[in-house]
Amino acid sequence: MKKLTFLMVLTISFLAFSNPLSLIFKDAIVNFEEMKPGDHIMSEDENILWVEGSEKWSIKTNKYNFSFNLVDLDQFTGEIKEVEDNIFEVVDSNKILFYNSNLGKWATTDKKNFPFIKNSKHLSIYAKQNVLVATYKKASWSMIYELYPDGKFTKNVEISGAETLENSRVYLINDYLQENIQNFSLMTRNIAAESKSYDFQEDIVQNIYTLDLGNLDINSDKSVINIDTRKILLFEDYLEIPLPYTTQNANPYIIRHIENTKENGLGIEIPQGKLWINEKFDNETVPLNKINIDSYSIGESIVLNMDKSWNFYYSNNIISDVKINNETRMTQRNINLTNHSDDYKWVLISEKSANIQLDDYSVNDDYDTLINDSKKGEINIKIKMNPNSSISVDLIYKK
């Protein structure tokens, strides 16, 4: 699937939608709205992607581009009520009094022009009927996940820069508008012209994630919306010992493996984002660590780096390293593992390399379980250590 073809799967009939439509990209928000002929206020950071159905349109940035009458305050007799600085409502009339900073004089105009006094940028549409307008401005979204000690897993989206959404149908698009703006403009024009309806589902296609958030009202610069909450049933934690690195008395990283399946209580699309790890202390659950999480589709195994273990130590030493020929070396390593906790701990000793091959290994008897899944191109040894124990592992391998 080529980039941006995800737009073809949205449930959209661009020429006949009842609510405004918004697509939030990683770097911008695109709003689609039906507009009447005439002038329409735009924010200073808003841009036009395209206007469909208009005979002519233009962006005007000069202030006071509307009819007004200059007045002499000394001769002005109407009762006024302050609305904002230098803007007054004329009581019992449809007029407002304002200070025209371009001319340095006071003036009156119709109340309908009040928005144009505050904003100098507006879109002028010349047409015989309503038109469809696509605008865009800077915005962003990111995924925020939360993992709790009882297995509770929440999926949330944080949206920034979309503070003016009012009952708009919102879609998240995991792509960058600015990098594809020409293709995006052409494609949405074609869809609008054909007025077709496309079926949409939450999906990840070539790392492009799309999601229908439904109708939203957002009135703040940053909003967090919960998308889903699940309960993970099973996971496996391994203390990962990277084979190539020589070290002394180091704390290994805790690597958590979670099957992203419905049978395991999960089974949801997971675009990359940030994950808060919550832990329980004195009967209170607090967010302890924030880590990165990659993108995972349904059925994949999620791998999380949970930070370093504080009650487990290891040393990894080279005993010998002999060159056999121009392409192969024979290496012997000794790895000492110490578990200072009252729990069983799974340890994973691993390395992947095209030519690596385990030749021999030995482990002393103070362990619960040992699984050797090593094969050509990979060393993979899992050891379940007893509580408060130490073991020594000797490996001989070719590389």
Side-chain angles (χ1 to χ4, degrees):
M1 183 179 286
K2 294 182 180 179
K3 255 198 181 324
L4 290 177
T5 54
F6 59 83
L7 290 173
M8 302 298 291
V9 299
L10 298 177
T11 304
I12 299 169
S13 178
F14 275 103
L15 294 182
F17 51 82
S18 57
N19 295 320
L21 173 72
S22 300
L23 306 181
I24 305 180
F25 288 75
K26 299 297 286 186
D27 62 343
I29 179 171
V30 179
N31 294 311
F32 303 89
E33 189 173 355
E34 189 175 5
M35 292 186 181
K36 297 179 180 179
D39 291 336
H40 299 267
I41 295 295
M42 296 181 65
S43 61
E44 294 299 323
D45 59 347
E46 197 172 12
N47 303 285
I48 297 294
L49 188 62
W50 49 257
V51 177
E52 189 67 36
S54 175
E55 300 171 4
K56 178 184 175 183
W57 62 272
S58 63
I59 297 292
K60 298 178 181 179
T61 56
N62 56 317
K63 278 189 175 183
Y64 316 123
N65 189 32
F66 50 84
S67 61
F68 57 84
N69 295 313
L70 298 178
V71 297
D72 185 347
L73 287 185
D74 292 334
Q75 300 179 5
F76 188 79
T77 58
E79 182 183 352
I80 58 175
K81 180 180 178 181
E82 186 174 22
V83 179
E84 291 189 12
D85 288 344
N86 290 329
I87 303 177
F88 297 85
E89 174 188 357
V90 181
V91 179
D92 296 330
S93 76
N94 66 340
K95 300 290 184 180
I96 53 176
L97 174 71
F98 70 97
Y99 183 75
N100 188 317
S101 58
N102 285 353
L103 300 177
K105 296 181 179 293
W106 287 89
T108 59
T109 189
D110 291 340
K111 286 183 178 179
K112 66 179 182 180
N113 295 322
F114 172 73
F116 298 101
I117 299 175
K118 296 178 57 180
N119 298 274
S120 61
K121 186 175 183 179
H122 61 276
L123 169 65
S124 293
I125 298 173
Y126 306 90
K128 296 179 181 179
Q129 59 185 7
N130 291 355
V131 301
L132 186 63
V133 180
T135 63
Y136 69 94
K137 66 174 186 175
K138 185 178 180 181
S140 64
W141 65 270
S142 59
M143 301 303 299
I144 305 293
Y145 303 92
E146 296 171 297
L147 182 60
Y148 293 85
D150 63 353
K152 179 182 175 183
F153 184 86
T154 68
K155 176 181 178 181
N156 314 283
V157 59
E158 183 179 86
I159 300 174
S160 300
E163 66 277 5
T164 57
L165 288 182
E166 294 183 6
N167 196 28
S168 182
R169 188 75 177 205
V170 178
Y171 294 86
L172 299 182
I173 308 296
N174 191 24
D175 203 354
Y176 292 87
L177 174 72
Q178 301 292 345
E179 297 176 4
N180 304 281
I181 193 164
Q182 290 183 344
N183 290 338
F184 179 80
S185 178
L186 177 61
M187 182 167 292
T188 52
R189 271 181 174 273
N190 290 339
I191 296 175
E194 295 173 7
S195 186
K196 291 183 178 178
S197 181
Y198 299 93
D199 184 35
F200 171 82
Q201 293 181 350
E202 179 183 17
D203 201 3
I204 298 177
V205 180
Q206 292 188 353
N207 206 34
I208 297 175
Y209 173 76
T210 56
L211 176 63
D212 180 4
L213 291 181
N215 292 345
L216 292 182
D217 289 308
I218 298 179
N219 53 19
S220 61
D221 180 62
K222 184 174 291 186
S223 300
V224 178
I225 301 167
N226 176 255
I227 297 174
D228 205 344
T229 299
R230 299 294 175 100
K231 182 72 173 290
I232 297 171
L233 302 178
L234 296 173
F235 61 84
E236 294 179 332
D237 283 346
Y238 290 96
L239 300 170
E240 190 170 86
I241 311 297
L243 197 56
Y245 305 109
T246 299
T247 188
Q248 302 294 323
N249 295 319
N251 298 108
Y253 282 98
I254 304 170
I255 307 299
R256 178 163 295 181
H257 296 254
I258 305 170
E259 294 302 317
N260 186 16
T261 62
K262 291 183 179 179
E263 293 77 11
N264 195 35
L266 207 52
I268 58 176
E269 299 291 355
I270 298 180
Q272 70 179 51
K274 299 292 184 180
L275 171 67
W276 277 106
I277 306 296
N278 291 268
E279 298 290 349
K280 199 168 186 178
F281 293 98
D282 296 330
N283 296 322
E284 288 190 14
T285 301
V286 295
L288 188 64
N289 191 20
K290 191 178 185 181
I291 65 174
N292 295 320
I293 181 171
D294 293 329
S295 295
Y296 295 96
S297 295
I298 297 172
E300 290 187 317
S301 180
I302 300 170
V303 180
L304 303 176
N305 187 334
M306 304 287 288
D307 210 352
K308 289 185 176 182
S309 170
W310 59 272
N311 55 12
F312 194 102
Y313 296 88
Y314 76 97
S315 296
N316 186 355
N317 299 295
I318 294 178
I319 305 302
S320 64
D321 186 31
V322 180
K323 184 177 181 181
I324 299 176
N325 52 49
N326 290 334
E327 298 180 353
T328 306
R329 305 185 71 88
M330 183 71 77
T331 303
Q332 181 180 359
R333 285 184 178 270
N334 173 258
I335 302 173
N336 291 306
L337 308 170
T338 303
N339 179 15
H340 287 291
S341 78
D342 296 330
D343 301 316
Y344 289 92
K345 297 288 185 180
W346 275 101
V347 178
L348 173 61
I349 301 172
S350 66
E351 182 182 357
K352 290 184 178 181
S353 179
N355 299 316
I356 197 169
Q357 186 169 357
L358 183 65
D359 189 69
D360 194 13
Y361 72 96
S362 62
V363 185
N364 65 3
D365 293 334
D366 194 14
Y367 63 86
D368 180 88
T369 307
L370 188 148
I371 302 172
N372 180 17
D373 288 330
S374 301
K375 56 187 177 182
K376 187 173 182 180
E378 179 182 4
I379 292 178
N380 188 303
I381 298 176
K382 301 183 183 75
I383 304 172
K384 186 177 182 180
M385 288 186 59
N386 294 318
N388 298 301
S389 65
S390 296
I391 62 173
S392 179
V393 181
D394 290 301
L395 302 176
I396 300 176
Y397 58 91
K398 291 182 290 187
K399 188 176 181 181

